[in-house]
Amino acid sequence: MSREAGPAGPDSTESLVYDWGAAERESGRRTVSFCDETLREGLQSPSSRLPTVEERLEFLHLLGGLGVDAANVGFPGAGSKARSEVASICRGIAAARLLLQAQCAARTRIEDLEAVHAVAESAGLTIEVGLFIGSSPLRRAAEGWRLDDQLRVVARSVAWAVAHGLRVLFVTEDTTRSRPDDVRRLYLEAVRAGATRVCIADTVGFATPLGAQRLTAFLLGALSDTGARDVGIDWHGHNDRGLAVACALAAASAGAGRLHGTALGIGERVGNAPMEQLLVNARMFEWSKANLGRLMDYATLASCMLGVEIPAGQPFVGRDAFSTATGVHAAAMLKALERNDGELLDSVYSAVPAAWLARRQQVEVGPLSGVSNIRFWLRLHGYPASDEAIARILRFAKGADHVLSDEELHRLARAPGPL
């Protein structure tokens, strides 16, 4: 559903929406892909439980149907148990012929790369290694590193990975607090050694959208200046300032071709960019044709797998995402319902059509509701909207301290006579 006033027909809601961001979208047509980090970054959340290998494979099967292109399946260098689990997952990906690029994390250490290589050999699968090293002065100060030493380590580890058949995504940790010349030198060293993708990491959620745009444009320029125009750029962002989704979209607008996220934003500290929000917004920008009809399944499965509840107000997938209990909103939605205009009903008080996610708009009845809420509910559930029934329900709702459940509403709608 485009959000531009344009060539849509007179009966379409597209012709009723003026999008102040349409010109920006038109000037930056692009295709964006996605890397799901739930099975690595998500498991690092202090609130997450560790799912079984079988649960993780079920999650990966669902990912392919969503339109996600790659998935980080773990960190084999973390120990023998992690290596065994990642190997089992990769064998499962290969056996099922999932259309996902399997990715594993590794430090710029040969022993980490040997673990990833062993997994690839065991599974008979081409693996992309997310090879990372800290790039900020803060990290170097904490570790006692020198930039020249880091450059040598990067060149050696990337060359080893490429020589052993691994695809390399080179990641600079804490990029968004790093000096321009430092990150340029690190990235270009990795590309010279054979990295085919590079990743900007907003490791502590420090970036702003404008900063994300500038940094991405800077990296794009640095790669272009050296003739490395075919090297892909990823963006990996955290949500410490509540800006993860905005920064990811800003990076994409500046040239990042792949965005990282996790289900429900689950990750270290306050988490990462929620993948479901990236997918919906990319669809809004016409950067992706993701199958959003499976998004509720994705969120629900992740919630069960990780033992983390979906907040009621979570955009798109929360219980309340497409619900209203206020009278003014319900009045407009009721008029659309009475006109049998489903598209208008799905748009008049919603930025995103619920139908995209195989959901529907819901009108609830509570202490802030009016007659329209009740008429809407009664019509939707096949009850006659008599004055008596409306008055009875309204009186009960105004005296309540909560939104009424369907059970309460059914009881009130069926009750004979006045309350």
mmCIF file of all heavy atoms in Angstrom, residues 1-4 19 21-30 283-287:
data_model
loop_
_atom_site.group_PDB
_atom_site.id
_atom_site.type_symbol
_atom_site.label_atom_id
_atom_site.label_comp_id
_atom_site.label_asym_id
_atom_site.label_seq_id
_atom_site.Cartn_x
_atom_site.Cartn_y
_atom_site.Cartn_z
ATOM 1 N N MET A 1 0.851 -1.199 0.000
ATOM 2 C CA MET A 1 0.000 0.000 0.000
ATOM 3 C C MET A 1 0.879 1.238 0.000
ATOM 4 O O MET A 1 1.573 1.534 0.947
ATOM 5 C CB MET A 1 -0.898 0.006 1.238
ATOM 6 C CG MET A 1 -1.802 1.213 1.338
ATOM 7 S SD MET A 1 -2.834 1.089 2.810
ATOM 8 C CE MET A 1 -3.765 2.595 2.651
ATOM 9 N N SER A 2 0.870 1.947 -1.083
ATOM 10 C CA SER A 2 1.659 3.172 -1.165
ATOM 11 C C SER A 2 1.067 4.236 -0.265
ATOM 12 O O SER A 2 -0.131 4.272 -0.045
ATOM 13 C CB SER A 2 1.681 3.667 -2.616
ATOM 14 O OG SER A 2 2.279 4.927 -2.692
ATOM 15 N N ARG A 3 1.903 5.116 0.230
ATOM 16 C CA ARG A 3 1.415 6.209 1.065
ATOM 17 C C ARG A 3 1.581 7.543 0.353
ATOM 18 O O ARG A 3 1.743 8.567 0.967
ATOM 19 C CB ARG A 3 2.177 6.196 2.388
ATOM 20 C CG ARG A 3 1.738 5.039 3.286
ATOM 21 C CD ARG A 3 0.340 5.259 3.818
ATOM 22 N NE ARG A 3 -0.200 4.051 4.392
ATOM 23 C CZ ARG A 3 -1.368 3.972 5.000
ATOM 24 N NH1 ARG A 3 -2.143 5.015 5.088
ATOM 25 N NH2 ARG A 3 -1.797 2.848 5.507
ATOM 26 N N GLU A 4 1.537 7.512 -0.973
ATOM 27 C CA GLU A 4 1.623 8.738 -1.742
ATOM 28 C C GLU A 4 0.266 9.036 -2.353
ATOM 29 O O GLU A 4 -0.428 8.135 -2.799
ATOM 30 C CB GLU A 4 2.600 8.596 -2.910
ATOM 31 C CG GLU A 4 3.951 8.076 -2.570
ATOM 32 C CD GLU A 4 4.738 7.888 -3.843
ATOM 33 O OE1 GLU A 4 5.322 8.874 -4.276
ATOM 34 O OE2 GLU A 4 4.727 6.798 -4.398
ATOM 35 N N ASP A 19 1.596 11.993 1.669
ATOM 36 C CA ASP A 19 2.770 11.509 2.392
ATOM 37 C C ASP A 19 3.893 12.534 2.270
ATOM 38 O O ASP A 19 4.467 12.730 1.198
ATOM 39 C CB ASP A 19 3.209 10.169 1.803
ATOM 40 C CG ASP A 19 4.370 9.550 2.558
ATOM 41 O OD1 ASP A 19 4.919 10.215 3.455
ATOM 42 O OD2 ASP A 19 4.728 8.396 2.251
ATOM 43 N N GLY A 21 6.776 12.248 3.254
ATOM 44 C CA GLY A 21 8.064 11.604 3.007
ATOM 45 C C GLY A 21 8.162 10.960 1.639
ATOM 46 O O GLY A 21 9.156 10.316 1.329
ATOM 47 N N ALA A 22 7.145 11.146 0.803
ATOM 48 C CA ALA A 22 7.124 10.454 -0.487
ATOM 49 C C ALA A 22 8.262 10.874 -1.393
ATOM 50 O O ALA A 22 8.865 10.055 -2.079
ATOM 51 C CB ALA A 22 5.785 10.704 -1.186
ATOM 52 N N ALA A 23 8.594 12.156 -1.417
ATOM 53 C CA ALA A 23 9.654 12.637 -2.302
ATOM 54 C C ALA A 23 10.986 11.998 -1.940
ATOM 55 O O ALA A 23 11.773 11.610 -2.812
ATOM 56 C CB ALA A 23 9.753 14.160 -2.218
ATOM 57 N N GLU A 24 11.242 11.840 -0.633
ATOM 58 C CA GLU A 24 12.483 11.209 -0.189
ATOM 59 C C GLU A 24 12.531 9.761 -0.653
ATOM 60 O O GLU A 24 13.556 9.273 -1.113
ATOM 61 C CB GLU A 24 12.592 11.278 1.335
ATOM 62 C CG GLU A 24 13.841 10.614 1.881
ATOM 63 C CD GLU A 24 13.884 10.625 3.401
ATOM 64 O OE1 GLU A 24 12.971 11.187 4.024
ATOM 65 O OE2 GLU A 24 14.834 10.061 3.949
ATOM 66 N N ARG A 25 11.384 9.072 -0.571
ATOM 67 C CA ARG A 25 11.356 7.682 -0.994
ATOM 68 C C ARG A 25 11.589 7.576 -2.501
ATOM 69 O O ARG A 25 12.333 6.728 -2.982
ATOM 70 C CB ARG A 25 10.025 7.039 -0.607
ATOM 71 C CG ARG A 25 9.950 5.569 -0.994
ATOM 72 C CD ARG A 25 8.698 4.878 -0.464
ATOM 73 N NE ARG A 25 7.505 5.449 -1.015
ATOM 74 C CZ ARG A 25 6.573 6.056 -0.283
ATOM 75 N NH1 ARG A 25 6.732 6.171 1.013
ATOM 76 N NH2 ARG A 25 5.495 6.546 -0.836
ATOM 77 N N GLU A 26 10.959 8.457 -3.264
ATOM 78 C CA GLU A 26 11.104 8.420 -4.708
ATOM 79 C C GLU A 26 12.546 8.678 -5.138
ATOM 80 O O GLU A 26 13.019 8.130 -6.112
ATOM 81 C CB GLU A 26 10.191 9.472 -5.349
ATOM 82 C CG GLU A 26 8.726 9.052 -5.423
ATOM 83 C CD GLU A 26 8.529 7.848 -6.329
ATOM 84 O OE1 GLU A 26 9.287 7.693 -7.299
ATOM 85 O OE2 GLU A 26 7.627 7.047 -6.058
ATOM 86 N N SER A 27 13.247 9.527 -4.380
ATOM 87 C CA SER A 27 14.617 9.874 -4.757
ATOM 88 C C SER A 27 15.611 8.787 -4.367
ATOM 89 O O SER A 27 16.768 8.835 -4.758
ATOM 90 C CB SER A 27 15.035 11.194 -4.082
ATOM 91 O OG SER A 27 15.135 11.007 -2.677
ATOM 92 N N GLY A 28 15.169 7.799 -3.611
ATOM 93 C CA GLY A 28 16.104 6.784 -3.137
ATOM 94 C C GLY A 28 15.585 5.374 -3.313
ATOM 95 O O GLY A 28 15.625 4.579 -2.392
ATOM 96 N N ARG A 29 15.063 5.031 -4.480
ATOM 97 C CA ARG A 29 14.563 3.688 -4.737
ATOM 98 C C ARG A 29 15.682 2.669 -4.527
ATOM 99 O O ARG A 29 16.780 2.822 -5.046
ATOM 100 C CB ARG A 29 14.040 3.579 -6.175
ATOM 101 C CG ARG A 29 12.778 4.366 -6.444
ATOM 102 C CD ARG A 29 11.572 3.687 -5.834
ATOM 103 N NE ARG A 29 10.342 4.397 -6.180
ATOM 104 C CZ ARG A 29 9.165 4.093 -5.696
ATOM 105 N NH1 ARG A 29 9.046 3.106 -4.830
ATOM 106 N NH2 ARG A 29 8.094 4.775 -6.035
ATOM 107 N N ARG A 30 15.398 1.620 -3.779
ATOM 108 C CA ARG A 30 16.423 0.616 -3.510
ATOM 109 C C ARG A 30 15.743 -0.667 -3.027
ATOM 110 O O ARG A 30 14.561 -0.688 -2.706
ATOM 111 C CB ARG A 30 17.404 1.106 -2.445
ATOM 112 C CG ARG A 30 16.738 1.473 -1.118
ATOM 113 C CD ARG A 30 17.730 1.989 -0.103
ATOM 114 N NE ARG A 30 18.630 2.976 -0.640
ATOM 115 C CZ ARG A 30 18.311 4.270 -0.806
ATOM 116 N NH1 ARG A 30 17.112 4.708 -0.497
ATOM 117 N NH2 ARG A 30 19.205 5.112 -1.295
ATOM 118 N N ARG A 283 8.601 -2.362 3.879
ATOM 119 C CA ARG A 283 7.455 -2.516 2.964
ATOM 120 C C ARG A 283 6.782 -1.171 2.715
ATOM 121 O O ARG A 283 6.391 -0.854 1.584
ATOM 122 C CB ARG A 283 6.469 -3.513 3.584
ATOM 123 C CG ARG A 283 5.122 -3.633 2.905
ATOM 124 C CD ARG A 283 5.114 -4.537 1.689
ATOM 125 N NE ARG A 283 3.759 -4.658 1.183
ATOM 126 C CZ ARG A 283 2.886 -5.591 1.554
ATOM 127 N NH1 ARG A 283 3.248 -6.508 2.443
ATOM 128 N NH2 ARG A 283 1.678 -5.648 1.041
ATOM 129 N N MET A 284 6.658 -0.367 3.758
ATOM 130 C CA MET A 284 6.067 0.963 3.604
ATOM 131 C C MET A 284 6.888 1.830 2.646
ATOM 132 O O MET A 284 6.347 2.600 1.865
ATOM 133 C CB MET A 284 5.977 1.661 4.961
ATOM 134 C CG MET A 284 5.030 1.022 5.961
ATOM 135 S SD MET A 284 3.296 1.296 5.600
ATOM 136 C CE MET A 284 3.124 3.031 6.002
ATOM 137 N N PHE A 285 8.216 1.698 2.731
ATOM 138 C CA PHE A 285 9.107 2.465 1.852
ATOM 139 C C PHE A 285 9.250 1.840 0.467
ATOM 140 O O PHE A 285 9.959 2.383 -0.375
ATOM 141 C CB PHE A 285 10.499 2.583 2.486
ATOM 142 C CG PHE A 285 10.623 3.661 3.519
ATOM 143 C CD1 PHE A 285 10.915 3.345 4.839
ATOM 144 C CD2 PHE A 285 10.464 4.992 3.186
ATOM 145 C CE1 PHE A 285 11.042 4.341 5.796
ATOM 146 C CE2 PHE A 285 10.593 5.997 4.141
ATOM 147 C CZ PHE A 285 10.887 5.667 5.445
ATOM 148 N N GLU A 286 8.617 0.669 0.273
ATOM 149 C CA GLU A 286 8.723 -0.080 -0.982
ATOM 150 C C GLU A 286 10.151 -0.545 -1.248
ATOM 151 O O GLU A 286 10.604 -0.628 -2.391
ATOM 152 C CB GLU A 286 8.170 0.752 -2.153
ATOM 153 C CG GLU A 286 6.706 1.110 -1.967
ATOM 154 C CD GLU A 286 6.150 2.023 -3.053
ATOM 155 O OE1 GLU A 286 6.857 2.259 -4.053
ATOM 156 O OE2 GLU A 286 5.024 2.507 -2.898
ATOM 157 N N TRP A 287 10.873 -0.854 -0.179
ATOM 158 C CA TRP A 287 12.226 -1.395 -0.279
ATOM 159 C C TRP A 287 12.219 -2.921 -0.236
ATOM 160 O O TRP A 287 13.234 -3.552 -0.479
ATOM 161 C CB TRP A 287 13.091 -0.904 0.893
ATOM 162 C CG TRP A 287 13.374 0.563 0.897
ATOM 163 C CD1 TRP A 287 13.226 1.448 -0.138
ATOM 164 C CD2 TRP A 287 13.881 1.320 2.000
ATOM 165 N NE1 TRP A 287 13.593 2.709 0.254
ATOM 166 C CE2 TRP A 287 14.003 2.666 1.558
ATOM 167 C CE3 TRP A 287 14.236 1.006 3.313
ATOM 168 C CZ2 TRP A 287 14.474 3.687 2.394
ATOM 169 C CZ3 TRP A 287 14.704 2.015 4.126
ATOM 170 C CH2 TRP A 287 14.830 3.345 3.675
#
